[in-house]
Amino acid sequence: MRKEIVLCGIAAAALGGMILAVSTSGEARRVHDPATATKVRTERTADAPEKADFRARIDALLNGQTVPPAPEEPTFSVPRTLSEYDTAIIGTPLATEEQCVDYLLSVNPHPAISVSPRELVAYYYQEGAREGIRPDVAFAQALKETGFFRYGGTVTPDQNNYCGLGTTSTQVKGAYFPTSQMGVRAHIQHLLAYASTRKPIYPVIDPRYNLVRNVYGASTLGHWPDLNGRWAVPGDSYGQSILSMFRAILQK
């Protein structure tokens, strides 16, 4: 009898150990289950931007600052440009970015700009698309205004001023912009000031935007030849010469 009790005790202990081992092993599998671990990390990662944004807003409030809202996406329609003989300032590009770069480098292989030619052209296409301004023709205007980025006049390369903004005489150098992209943005905004009564998407950095809008009020100058004698003085064929350069870009 005593032997049977001992054997039963040993069997029970062994069985209990097996149950404990299975239970412990099962819990280990649940804790280290890759699917569960991935899910937790994913959830935390998804929450991270919201938490970071929340902290940034709290910090801004504590410091008496405000978090500016993101610029709104364009909600206006832009007419599609179908012909190289379309003279409208507002429209879509016909030339590719590559054609613009190739044309510039074919005339001036070493332009005096603070970024690569490809980057500069990309800025024109980004900023132009945002405001509905034809970027390829705006770039042609920059080529005319800067002498294919050789300069040599009143404006100097360090100004990032690609359209003579604020240069009203040989003694006035005009506006300075901190980066190449800001210079392009100001150029596009100045064209918009002439061509539309619609406000720019981004805050105005063109120093003469309000001046143009105050002069023309509800009126607009919608075509490149309309800039004759206005953007450039006397500039009798100013707009036509820009369009001629634009058509030369299309040949590349």
Side-chain angles (χ1 to χ4, degrees):
M1 177 66 70
R2 186 176 180 182
K3 289 182 179 180
E4 291 177 357
I5 293 173
V6 171
L7 289 173
C8 288
I10 293 172
L15 182 60
M18 289 176 63
I19 293 172
L20 179 61
V22 171
S23 176
T24 304
S25 176
E27 288 177 1
R29 282 198 299 272
R30 286 196 295 273
V31 171
H32 297 290
D33 182 11
T36 304
T38 301
K39 183 178 180 182
V40 171
R41 284 197 296 271
T42 302
E43 289 174 350
R44 288 178 179 174
T45 303
D47 291 341
E50 294 181 4
K51 290 180 179 178
D53 182 64
F54 178 75
R55 291 194 192 98
R57 291 178 181 277
I58 292 297
D59 290 341
L61 289 172
L62 290 175
N63 294 324
Q65 301 172 347
T66 57
V67 180
E72 296 180 2
E73 291 298 319
T75 56
F76 52 88
S77 60
V78 177
R80 184 180 177 187
T81 303
L82 299 176
S83 168
E84 64 183 270
Y85 296 102
D86 186 338
T87 62
I89 294 173
I90 291 177
T92 55
L94 286 180
T96 65
E97 294 184 37
E98 196 68 31
Q99 285 176 308
C100 291
V101 172
D102 289 347
Y103 181 62
L104 165 60
L105 296 180
S106 70
V107 178
N108 180 14
H110 305 289
I113 50 180
S114 58
V115 295
S116 70
R118 194 173 302 279
E119 286 177 286
L120 184 65
V121 169
Y123 290 148
Y124 269 96
Y125 276 69
Q126 292 166 13
E127 300 294 335
R130 181 181 295 117
E131 302 295 356
I133 300 295
R134 293 169 65 183
D136 40 10
V137 191
F139 182 70
Q141 184 184 26
L143 296 178
K144 178 177 178 62
E145 287 284 341
T146 63
F148 287 84
F149 301 104
R150 293 190 183 98
Y151 295 94
T154 307
V155 178
T156 52
D158 61 300
Q159 292 178 243
N160 292 313
N161 185 343
Y162 306 123
C163 60
L165 268 175
T167 308
T168 54
S169 71
T170 55
Q171 285 75 41
V172 180
K173 290 179 66 66
Y176 282 77
F177 300 100
T179 66
S180 178
Q181 185 173 16
M182 292 300 100
V184 173
R185 183 173 299 173
H187 182 182
I188 295 297
Q189 288 182 348
H190 201 60
L191 285 168
L192 185 68
Y194 280 104
S196 175
T197 58
R198 172 175 48 81
K199 292 279 289 184
I201 299 297
Y202 276 94
V204 173
I205 60 173
D206 166 21
R208 297 177 68 81
Y209 176 88
N210 290 327
L211 175 64
V212 173
R213 281 286 85 234
N214 289 337
V215 168
Y216 290 99
S219 301
T220 58
L221 303 176
H223 295 265
W224 289 95
D226 293 338
L227 301 180
N228 295 354
R230 294 182 172 91
W231 193 297
V233 179
D236 295 332
S237 58
Y238 179 75
Q240 289 87 337
S241 64
I242 291 170
L243 290 168
S244 294
M245 295 178 74
F246 154 68
R247 294 184 189 111
I249 291 174
L250 291 175
Q251 302 306 311
K252 286 296 177 181

